[in-house]
Amino acid sequence: MRRLFFLFLVLSLNSCKQPAKDSISNESTTKDSTINESTTKDSAALYNSFGNSKANLKNYTGAIADYTKAISLNTQYSDAYFNRGLSKYELHDNTGACEDWSKAGELGNVKAYDKRRLYCQ
């Protein structure tokens, strides 16, 4: 029984070896980059959702932290900027809120310009 287990272990380890670096094609690297980019955007959306949940519970500081993480994962995520602006506004950080709404508007979020018009000078 021990010999069988040892043989299985050796075969398992042998099949897990990484290919040599020079055998990796550009096609594989491009595919991995696309997967990583997609995963990063999904993660950003997840942090934005976490932020929304915290904001709904009036935990604006926690929400801002989650929106900031979403933005760090996807700097073009207009909804995260918009939502972070809402939470900053609730904490009376009008300057920060207006900056976030400006950035969200630059990224195409039309609602952000409405907020700027109402609350920023």
PDB file of all heavy atoms in Angstrom, residues 6-28:
ATOM      1  N   PHE A   6       3.242   6.022  -2.708  1.00  0.00           N
ATOM      2  CA  PHE A   6       4.459   6.703  -3.138  1.00  0.00           C
ATOM      3  C   PHE A   6       4.455   6.893  -4.658  1.00  0.00           C
ATOM      4  O   PHE A   6       4.782   7.962  -5.161  1.00  0.00           O
ATOM      5  CB  PHE A   6       5.699   5.922  -2.687  1.00  0.00           C
ATOM      6  CG  PHE A   6       6.990   6.569  -3.085  1.00  0.00           C
ATOM      7  CD1 PHE A   6       7.427   7.721  -2.436  1.00  0.00           C
ATOM      8  CD2 PHE A   6       7.751   6.065  -4.125  1.00  0.00           C
ATOM      9  CE1 PHE A   6       8.611   8.340  -2.804  1.00  0.00           C
ATOM     10  CE2 PHE A   6       8.931   6.684  -4.499  1.00  0.00           C
ATOM     11  CZ  PHE A   6       9.362   7.826  -3.837  1.00  0.00           C
ATOM     12  N   LEU A   7       4.062   5.865  -5.388  1.00  0.00           N
ATOM     13  CA  LEU A   7       4.007   5.950  -6.845  1.00  0.00           C
ATOM     14  C   LEU A   7       2.993   7.024  -7.269  1.00  0.00           C
ATOM     15  O   LEU A   7       3.272   7.836  -8.149  1.00  0.00           O
ATOM     16  CB  LEU A   7       3.621   4.595  -7.442  1.00  0.00           C
ATOM     17  CG  LEU A   7       3.505   4.527  -8.960  1.00  0.00           C
ATOM     18  CD1 LEU A   7       4.833   4.861  -9.619  1.00  0.00           C
ATOM     19  CD2 LEU A   7       3.024   3.166  -9.388  1.00  0.00           C
ATOM     20  N   PHE A   8       1.850   7.061  -6.625  1.00  0.00           N
ATOM     21  CA  PHE A   8       0.836   8.072  -6.918  1.00  0.00           C
ATOM     22  C   PHE A   8       1.373   9.475  -6.638  1.00  0.00           C
ATOM     23  O   PHE A   8       1.183  10.396  -7.417  1.00  0.00           O
ATOM     24  CB  PHE A   8      -0.427   7.806  -6.087  1.00  0.00           C
ATOM     25  CG  PHE A   8      -1.471   8.863  -6.245  1.00  0.00           C
ATOM     26  CD1 PHE A   8      -2.235   8.929  -7.399  1.00  0.00           C
ATOM     27  CD2 PHE A   8      -1.674   9.810  -5.263  1.00  0.00           C
ATOM     28  CE1 PHE A   8      -3.192   9.908  -7.557  1.00  0.00           C
ATOM     29  CE2 PHE A   8      -2.626  10.796  -5.408  1.00  0.00           C
ATOM     30  CZ  PHE A   8      -3.390  10.840  -6.565  1.00  0.00           C
ATOM     31  N   LEU A   9       2.070   9.624  -5.517  1.00  0.00           N
ATOM     32  CA  LEU A   9       2.638  10.914  -5.142  1.00  0.00           C
ATOM     33  C   LEU A   9       3.660  11.379  -6.174  1.00  0.00           C
ATOM     34  O   LEU A   9       3.632  12.525  -6.615  1.00  0.00           O
ATOM     35  CB  LEU A   9       3.274  10.829  -3.751  1.00  0.00           C
ATOM     36  CG  LEU A   9       3.871  12.109  -3.195  1.00  0.00           C
ATOM     37  CD1 LEU A   9       2.785  13.161  -3.017  1.00  0.00           C
ATOM     38  CD2 LEU A   9       4.560  11.844  -1.875  1.00  0.00           C
ATOM     39  N   VAL A  10       4.532  10.506  -6.593  1.00  0.00           N
ATOM     40  CA  VAL A  10       5.559  10.861  -7.586  1.00  0.00           C
ATOM     41  C   VAL A  10       4.908  11.247  -8.908  1.00  0.00           C
ATOM     42  O   VAL A  10       5.271  12.248  -9.523  1.00  0.00           O
ATOM     43  CB  VAL A  10       6.564   9.701  -7.774  1.00  0.00           C
ATOM     44  CG1 VAL A  10       7.462   9.947  -8.968  1.00  0.00           C
ATOM     45  CG2 VAL A  10       7.379   9.501  -6.509  1.00  0.00           C
ATOM     46  N   LEU A  11       3.919  10.484  -9.339  1.00  0.00           N
ATOM     47  CA  LEU A  11       3.243  10.797 -10.599  1.00  0.00           C
ATOM     48  C   LEU A  11       2.488  12.123 -10.508  1.00  0.00           C
ATOM     49  O   LEU A  11       2.473  12.906 -11.455  1.00  0.00           O
ATOM     50  CB  LEU A  11       2.292   9.674 -10.993  1.00  0.00           C
ATOM     51  CG  LEU A  11       2.955   8.369 -11.429  1.00  0.00           C
ATOM     52  CD1 LEU A  11       1.902   7.300 -11.641  1.00  0.00           C
ATOM     53  CD2 LEU A  11       3.782   8.569 -12.685  1.00  0.00           C
ATOM     54  N   SER A  12       1.886  12.392  -9.364  1.00  0.00           N
ATOM     55  CA  SER A  12       1.159  13.644  -9.182  1.00  0.00           C
ATOM     56  C   SER A  12       2.101  14.836  -9.235  1.00  0.00           C
ATOM     57  O   SER A  12       1.827  15.843  -9.874  1.00  0.00           O
ATOM     58  CB  SER A  12       0.430  13.656  -7.839  1.00  0.00           C
ATOM     59  OG  SER A  12      -0.550  12.668  -7.832  1.00  0.00           O
ATOM     60  N   LEU A  13       3.214  14.731  -8.545  1.00  0.00           N
ATOM     61  CA  LEU A  13       4.189  15.817  -8.541  1.00  0.00           C
ATOM     62  C   LEU A  13       4.785  16.034  -9.924  1.00  0.00           C
ATOM     63  O   LEU A  13       5.017  17.162 -10.339  1.00  0.00           O
ATOM     64  CB  LEU A  13       5.294  15.556  -7.517  1.00  0.00           C
ATOM     65  CG  LEU A  13       4.860  15.611  -6.058  1.00  0.00           C
ATOM     66  CD1 LEU A  13       6.017  15.198  -5.161  1.00  0.00           C
ATOM     67  CD2 LEU A  13       4.376  16.992  -5.690  1.00  0.00           C
ATOM     68  N   ASN A  14       5.022  14.975 -10.621  1.00  0.00           N
ATOM     69  CA  ASN A  14       5.610  15.071 -11.953  1.00  0.00           C
ATOM     70  C   ASN A  14       4.654  15.761 -12.923  1.00  0.00           C
ATOM     71  O   ASN A  14       5.071  16.529 -13.778  1.00  0.00           O
ATOM     72  CB  ASN A  14       5.975  13.671 -12.455  1.00  0.00           C
ATOM     73  CG  ASN A  14       7.009  13.717 -13.557  1.00  0.00           C
ATOM     74  OD1 ASN A  14       7.690  14.723 -13.712  1.00  0.00           O
ATOM     75  ND2 ASN A  14       7.121  12.645 -14.311  1.00  0.00           N
ATOM     76  N   SER A  15       3.357  15.525 -12.785  1.00  0.00           N
ATOM     77  CA  SER A  15       2.387  16.146 -13.697  1.00  0.00           C
ATOM     78  C   SER A  15       2.140  17.608 -13.369  1.00  0.00           C
ATOM     79  O   SER A  15       1.562  18.330 -14.157  1.00  0.00           O
ATOM     80  CB  SER A  15       1.072  15.377 -13.683  1.00  0.00           C
ATOM     81  OG  SER A  15       0.444  15.523 -12.430  1.00  0.00           O
ATOM     82  N   CYS A  16       2.594  18.082 -12.198  1.00  0.00           N
ATOM     83  CA  CYS A  16       2.371  19.465 -11.789  1.00  0.00           C
ATOM     84  C   CYS A  16       3.513  20.391 -12.167  1.00  0.00           C
ATOM     85  O   CYS A  16       3.481  21.563 -11.852  1.00  0.00           O
ATOM     86  CB  CYS A  16       2.176  19.547 -10.270  1.00  0.00           C
ATOM     87  SG  CYS A  16       0.648  18.769  -9.738  1.00  0.00           S
ATOM     88  N   LYS A  17       4.533  19.886 -12.822  1.00  0.00           N
ATOM     89  CA  LYS A  17       5.665  20.733 -13.188  1.00  0.00           C
ATOM     90  C   LYS A  17       5.219  21.846 -14.113  1.00  0.00           C
ATOM     91  O   LYS A  17       4.393  21.649 -14.989  1.00  0.00           O
ATOM     92  CB  LYS A  17       6.755  19.909 -13.879  1.00  0.00           C
ATOM     93  CG  LYS A  17       7.509  19.012 -12.931  1.00  0.00           C
ATOM     94  CD  LYS A  17       8.612  18.296 -13.679  1.00  0.00           C
ATOM     95  CE  LYS A  17       9.396  17.402 -12.745  1.00  0.00           C
ATOM     96  NZ  LYS A  17      10.396  16.630 -13.463  1.00  0.00           N
ATOM     97  N   GLN A  18       5.779  23.035 -13.912  1.00  0.00           N
ATOM     98  CA  GLN A  18       5.490  24.186 -14.760  1.00  0.00           C
ATOM     99  C   GLN A  18       6.276  24.064 -16.065  1.00  0.00           C
ATOM    100  O   GLN A  18       7.403  23.572 -16.063  1.00  0.00           O
ATOM    101  CB  GLN A  18       5.905  25.484 -14.048  1.00  0.00           C
ATOM    102  CG  GLN A  18       5.112  25.762 -12.799  1.00  0.00           C
ATOM    103  CD  GLN A  18       3.673  26.098 -13.115  1.00  0.00           C
ATOM    104  OE1 GLN A  18       3.393  26.706 -14.129  1.00  0.00           O
ATOM    105  NE2 GLN A  18       2.767  25.683 -12.251  1.00  0.00           N
ATOM    106  N   PRO A  19       5.712  24.512 -17.177  1.00  0.00           N
ATOM    107  CA  PRO A  19       6.471  24.496 -18.429  1.00  0.00           C
ATOM    108  C   PRO A  19       7.628  25.478 -18.349  1.00  0.00           C
ATOM    109  O   PRO A  19       7.593  26.451 -17.602  1.00  0.00           O
ATOM    110  CB  PRO A  19       5.449  24.948 -19.474  1.00  0.00           C
ATOM    111  CG  PRO A  19       4.406  25.675 -18.702  1.00  0.00           C
ATOM    112  CD  PRO A  19       4.397  25.068 -17.330  1.00  0.00           C
ATOM    113  N   ALA A  20       8.651  25.223 -19.109  1.00  0.00           N
ATOM    114  CA  ALA A  20       9.791  26.136 -19.157  1.00  0.00           C
ATOM    115  C   ALA A  20       9.323  27.477 -19.679  1.00  0.00           C
ATOM    116  O   ALA A  20       8.418  27.553 -20.515  1.00  0.00           O
ATOM    117  CB  ALA A  20      10.877  25.555 -20.061  1.00  0.00           C
ATOM    118  N   LYS A  21       9.944  28.564 -19.187  1.00  0.00           N
ATOM    119  CA  LYS A  21       9.504  29.903 -19.574  1.00  0.00           C
ATOM    120  C   LYS A  21       9.550  30.121 -21.078  1.00  0.00           C
ATOM    121  O   LYS A  21       8.699  30.778 -21.636  1.00  0.00           O
ATOM    122  CB  LYS A  21      10.346  30.963 -18.868  1.00  0.00           C
ATOM    123  CG  LYS A  21       9.975  31.110 -17.428  1.00  0.00           C
ATOM    124  CD  LYS A  21      10.462  32.406 -16.896  1.00  0.00           C
ATOM    125  CE  LYS A  21       9.983  32.510 -15.463  1.00  0.00           C
ATOM    126  NZ  LYS A  21       9.726  33.829 -15.053  1.00  0.00           N
ATOM    127  N   ASP A  22      10.561  29.570 -21.746  1.00  0.00           N
ATOM    128  CA  ASP A  22      10.676  29.817 -23.173  1.00  0.00           C
ATOM    129  C   ASP A  22       9.662  29.009 -23.983  1.00  0.00           C
ATOM    130  O   ASP A  22       9.510  29.221 -25.169  1.00  0.00           O
ATOM    131  CB  ASP A  22      12.096  29.543 -23.670  1.00  0.00           C
ATOM    132  CG  ASP A  22      12.571  28.127 -23.365  1.00  0.00           C
ATOM    133  OD1 ASP A  22      11.829  27.365 -22.718  1.00  0.00           O
ATOM    134  OD2 ASP A  22      13.692  27.799 -23.761  1.00  0.00           O
ATOM    135  N   SER A  23       8.917  28.101 -23.350  1.00  0.00           N
ATOM    136  CA  SER A  23       7.905  27.350 -24.081  1.00  0.00           C
ATOM    137  C   SER A  23       6.530  28.002 -24.017  1.00  0.00           C
ATOM    138  O   SER A  23       5.604  27.548 -24.654  1.00  0.00           O
ATOM    139  CB  SER A  23       7.817  25.913 -23.542  1.00  0.00           C
ATOM    140  OG  SER A  23       7.250  25.923 -22.252  1.00  0.00           O
ATOM    141  N   ILE A  24       6.400  29.084 -23.247  1.00  0.00           N
ATOM    142  CA  ILE A  24       5.125  29.774 -23.148  1.00  0.00           C
ATOM    143  C   ILE A  24       4.978  30.698 -24.343  1.00  0.00           C
ATOM    144  O   ILE A  24       5.832  31.523 -24.624  1.00  0.00           O
ATOM    145  CB  ILE A  24       5.030  30.576 -21.833  1.00  0.00           C
ATOM    146  CG1 ILE A  24       5.121  29.634 -20.647  1.00  0.00           C
ATOM    147  CG2 ILE A  24       3.756  31.395 -21.791  1.00  0.00           C
ATOM    148  CD1 ILE A  24       5.216  30.338 -19.315  1.00  0.00           C
ATOM    149  N   SER A  25       3.859  30.575 -25.038  1.00  0.00           N
ATOM    150  CA  SER A  25       3.650  31.393 -26.225  1.00  0.00           C
ATOM    151  C   SER A  25       3.043  32.735 -25.857  1.00  0.00           C
ATOM    152  O   SER A  25       2.479  32.903 -24.786  1.00  0.00           O
ATOM    153  CB  SER A  25       2.731  30.661 -27.208  1.00  0.00           C
ATOM    154  OG  SER A  25       1.425  30.637 -26.696  1.00  0.00           O
ATOM    155  N   ASN A  26       3.133  33.672 -26.753  1.00  0.00           N
ATOM    156  CA  ASN A  26       2.518  34.973 -26.552  1.00  0.00           C
ATOM    157  C   ASN A  26       1.002  34.861 -26.479  1.00  0.00           C
ATOM    158  O   ASN A  26       0.351  35.623 -25.792  1.00  0.00           O
ATOM    159  CB  ASN A  26       2.906  35.933 -27.680  1.00  0.00           C
ATOM    160  CG  ASN A  26       4.337  36.378 -27.565  1.00  0.00           C
ATOM    161  OD1 ASN A  26       4.912  36.349 -26.481  1.00  0.00           O
ATOM    162  ND2 ASN A  26       4.915  36.774 -28.680  1.00  0.00           N
ATOM    163  N   GLU A  27       0.436  33.912 -27.194  1.00  0.00           N
ATOM    164  CA  GLU A  27      -1.016  33.715 -27.189  1.00  0.00           C
ATOM    165  C   GLU A  27      -1.488  33.396 -25.773  1.00  0.00           C
ATOM    166  O   GLU A  27      -2.478  33.938 -25.305  1.00  0.00           O
ATOM    167  CB  GLU A  27      -1.386  32.583 -28.137  1.00  0.00           C
ATOM    168  CG  GLU A  27      -2.881  32.339 -28.241  1.00  0.00           C
ATOM    169  CD  GLU A  27      -3.187  31.237 -29.220  1.00  0.00           C
ATOM    170  OE1 GLU A  27      -2.646  31.247 -30.329  1.00  0.00           O
ATOM    171  OE2 GLU A  27      -3.986  30.363 -28.845  1.00  0.00           O
ATOM    172  N   SER A  28      -0.766  32.530 -25.083  1.00  0.00           N
ATOM    173  CA  SER A  28      -1.122  32.179 -23.714  1.00  0.00           C
ATOM    174  C   SER A  28      -1.012  33.393 -22.806  1.00  0.00           C
ATOM    175  O   SER A  28      -1.867  33.633 -21.962  1.00  0.00           O
ATOM    176  CB  SER A  28      -0.209  31.059 -23.209  1.00  0.00           C
ATOM    177  OG  SER A  28      -0.443  30.818 -21.849  1.00  0.00           O
TER     178      SER A  28
END
